[in-house]
Amino acid sequence: MPERDEQQITVSATALRAMRDEFQRFLMEYRFGLQEIETKISILREEFEEVHDYNPIEHVSGRVKSPDSLAEKVRRKGVDADFDSIRSSITDIAGVRITCSFTTDAYRLFDLLTQQDDITVISVKDYIAEPKPNGYKSLHAIVTVPVFLSTGRVDVPVEVQFRTIAMDFWASLEHKIYYKYDRLVPDELLAGLKDAADTAAELDQRMERLHREIRGGAPGVVSI
């Protein structure tokens, strides 16, 4: 009897290791897809600095969802817990956030990225043109980028977000508030957040006007 128990434990451990390895390979595709997008953005940034003497990108951050975060989203959305279902139903496993100085930079970079031959646009949500009711603003795009593995080509979905510094600051504050109150935010704070979003939008517009005056008024400078 003890021998049978030991065999059962060994089989279970082997099965768990196999599941772990398969899950790591699954996430590896998204990590490589993320790296491809980050490389494309890095090239665009370097070209702008070299050719236009201008950097439209303040910073770039990327992440692949953690196993716990992915499992929670699978549960919340009611997705079948197999890799094919997860792959087809959840498109933000890999994500890149590109923070720009100005709204025009966000749209310009979106166009330059999505017009590349190997990028396929799956969906776009323009929360800059049409903000969410709470004031959230950002340009979201789900794209696929090819990753070439030893087993062949895999088209990996990546969520790319474009926003200004002001939009990013507001979104960071909103996230902290919602986390602190476990999403049950008092009405007065929600009203304050909306007011802050309006102020941030006004600041973006004022800085955009100043930017155009500076870039447009300098001789020999290409207007970006």
Side-chain angles (χ1 to χ4, degrees):
M1 191 70 175
E3 292 181 0
R4 185 180 303 173
D5 289 342
E6 289 175 5
Q7 182 180 11
Q8 192 172 25
I9 292 172
T10 302
V11 170
S12 298
T14 301
L16 286 173
R17 281 195 294 270
M19 290 171 60
R20 179 201 61 193
D21 293 344
E22 189 176 5
F23 191 59
Q24 288 178 344
R25 286 194 296 271
F26 174 76
L27 290 180
M28 178 183 67
E29 297 176 6
Y30 290 91
R31 189 170 72 251
F32 292 157
L34 178 68
Q35 291 171 1
E36 291 284 349
I37 295 294
E38 288 177 329
T39 298
K40 288 175 177 294
I41 295 301
S42 177
I43 289 171
L44 286 172
R45 173 161 51 187
E46 187 170 341
E47 186 210 0
F48 267 92
E49 290 176 338
E50 291 288 336
V51 176
H52 302 297
D53 191 29
Y54 174 73
N55 178 14
I57 301 171
E58 291 295 327
H59 59 265
V60 178
S61 60
R63 61 98 184 103
V64 174
K65 280 187 180 297
S66 68
D68 287 344
S69 176
L70 181 55
E72 170 59 22
K73 187 155 191 177
V74 166
R75 183 198 62 78
R76 191 171 66 249
K77 294 187 66 174
V79 177
D80 290 338
D82 63 85
F83 292 128
D84 287 340
S85 297
I86 295 172
R87 189 178 280 109
S88 62
S89 300
I90 300 179
T91 54
D92 64 344
I93 296 174
V96 179
R97 181 176 301 147
I98 303 165
T99 305
C100 306
S101 302
F102 307 100
T103 302
T104 50
D105 291 335
Y107 283 112
R108 180 73 179 274
L109 286 166
F110 167 81
D111 289 338
L112 291 172
L113 177 65
T114 57
Q115 288 170 6
Q116 295 187 16
D117 291 344
D118 57 347
I119 293 289
T120 300
V121 179
I122 303 301
S123 66
V124 177
K125 293 181 180 178
D126 190 350
Y127 297 118
I128 296 178
E130 297 184 12
K132 291 184 178 182
N134 65 351
Y136 175 85
K137 298 181 74 173
S138 186
L139 176 60
H140 292 198
I142 303 294
V143 304
T144 61
V145 61
V147 170
F148 295 91
L149 304 173
S150 60
T151 52
R153 170 174 171 160
V154 179
D155 291 314
V156 179
V158 179
E159 182 186 57
V160 189
Q161 298 180 1
F162 303 85
R163 59 177 62 162
T164 65
I165 301 169
M167 296 174 198
D168 190 56
F169 177 70
W170 183 91
S172 176
L173 176 62
E174 187 226 24
H175 178 77
K176 291 175 182 176
I177 290 175
Y178 269 78
Y179 181 80
K180 176 178 176 61
Y181 287 94
D182 195 22
R183 308 198 67 82
L184 300 175
V185 183
D187 289 342
E188 59 271 20
L189 275 180
L190 291 176
L193 275 173
K194 180 61 171 64
D195 184 61
D198 293 339
T199 302
E202 182 182 354
L203 177 62
D204 267 339
Q205 292 172 0
R206 292 175 62 184
M207 296 303 292
E208 187 87 50
R209 286 195 296 269
L210 288 171
H211 172 64
R212 287 176 178 172
E213 289 178 12
I214 295 169
R215 298 295 293 185
V221 174
V222 178
S223 180
I224 302 300

